[in-house]
């Protein structure tokens, strides 16, 4: 029998492949159909219009809560035996791939990297970890239905991991996205 840590690493590997595969698919499809990618970007931009970028501290909380909502859906989606978790993961990967395609059409790689990498490292790590915990939750519920696990106890442990690892990563990502990423992006844009 595989250890819980080993199973988590397998779940993490699965979500990494699914997420980045979805990103690549979204990117490739956006190259084939640029009008569709432009529409995705417009939809994404309209969904973020309520964010107040004039006050970085407020913006960081808005970003944090938005990302927390996504990560909670990824984690709690595990109660559907991972179906919701995988759907949300694929959807987010596809959108990120499409947006990446549009950005790389309009800007050079350094601008793209400056606007994504500083906070993306933390944000994407949190998303992937939340999704892996969601898959593990689904697995635990399945085993509990067979009488081979105590899903309540196991899911409590996963919830603790979510609070101790995913939430702090989201806080860091939101702060970096509000305070650091704009500065780096401006430096890169002023040099282009």
């Amino acid at each position: 029998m595989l250890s819980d840590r080993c199973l988590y690493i397998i779940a993490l590997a699965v979500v990494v492949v699914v997420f980045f595969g979805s990103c690549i698919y979204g990117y490739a499809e956006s190259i084939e159909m640029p009008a569709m990618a432009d529409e995705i970007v417009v939809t994404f931009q309209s969904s973020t219009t309520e964010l107040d970028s004039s006050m970085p501290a407020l913006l960081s909380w808005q970003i944090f809560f938005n990302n927390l909502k996504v990560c909670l859906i990824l984690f709690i989606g595990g109660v559907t035996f991972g179906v919701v978790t995988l759907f949300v993961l694929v959807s987010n990967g596809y959108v990120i791939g499409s947006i990446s395609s549009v950005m790389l059409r309009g800007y050079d790689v350094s601008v793209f990297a400056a606007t994504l990498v500083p906070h993306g490292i933390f944000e994407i790590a949190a998303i992937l970890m939340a999704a892996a915990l969601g898959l593990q939750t689904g697995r635990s519920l399945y085993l509990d239905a067979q009488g081979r696990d105590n899903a309540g106890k196991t899911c409590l442990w996963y919830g603790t991991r979510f609070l101790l690892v995913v939430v702090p990563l989201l806080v860091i990502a939101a702060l970096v996205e509000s305070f650091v990423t704009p500065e780096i992006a401006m430096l890169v844009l002023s040099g282009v």
Side-chain angles (χ1 to χ4, degrees), residues 13 16 28 36 39 44 56 60 62 67 79-80 91 135-136 143-144 151 153 163 165 181:
V16 165
M36 182 197 64
E39 193 173 312
F44 178 77
S60 65
Q62 291 171 327
N67 290 335
V79 300
T80 63
S91 300
L135 290 184
Q136 286 293 91
L143 292 175
D144 188 57
K153 181 180 174 185
L163 289 173
V165 179
T181 300

Side-chain angles (χ1 to χ4, degrees), residues 10-190:
I10 291 169
L12 191 58
V14 167
V15 299
V16 165
V17 169
V18 168
F19 178 76
F20 286 107
S22 301
C23 288
I24 292 167
Y25 182 70
Y27 182 87
E29 198 166 87
S30 296
I31 290 173
E32 293 288 321
M33 295 181 280
M36 182 197 64
D38 293 340
E39 193 173 312
I40 288 172
V41 169
V42 168
T43 302
F44 178 77
Q45 286 174 332
S46 69
S47 71
T48 60
T49 55
E50 71 275 357
L51 298 179
D52 183 3
S53 60
S54 66
M55 296 173 26
L58 176 61
L59 177 63
S60 65
W61 280 109
Q62 291 171 327
I63 291 169
F64 169 74
F65 284 115
N66 183 56
N67 290 335
L68 179 62
K69 180 175 56 177
V70 170
C71 285
L72 280 170
I73 292 169
L74 287 166
F75 176 52
I76 296 171
V79 300
T80 63
F81 301 103
V83 173
V84 169
T85 299
L86 290 172
F87 177 77
V88 171
L89 190 66
V90 167
S91 300
N92 277 282
Y94 184 87
V95 168
I96 289 170
S98 298
I99 291 170
S100 299
S101 171
V102 171
M103 283 191 69
L104 288 171
R105 241 189 299 145
Y107 298 100
D108 110 351
V109 174
S110 62
V111 173
F112 172 75
T115 58
L116 181 66
V117 172
H119 67 277
I121 292 169
F122 303 104
E123 190 173 311
I124 292 172
I127 287 169
L128 295 174
M129 288 179 190
L133 289 169
L135 290 184
Q136 286 293 91
T137 298
R139 180 185 160 278
S140 178
L141 291 170
Y142 174 75
L143 292 175
D144 188 57
Q146 295 180 335
R148 297 179 4 199
D149 192 13
N150 179 347
K153 181 180 174 185
T154 304
C155 292
L156 180 62
W157 188 83
Y158 294 147
T160 303
R161 280 289 170 114
F162 184 90
L163 289 173
L164 295 176
V165 179
V166 174
V167 172
L169 282 172
L170 292 175
V171 169
I172 294 167
L175 291 170
V176 170
E177 188 170 358
S178 299
F179 292 98
V180 178
T181 300
E183 297 300 319
I184 293 172
M186 293 306 291
L187 285 171
V188 171
L189 282 169
S190 65

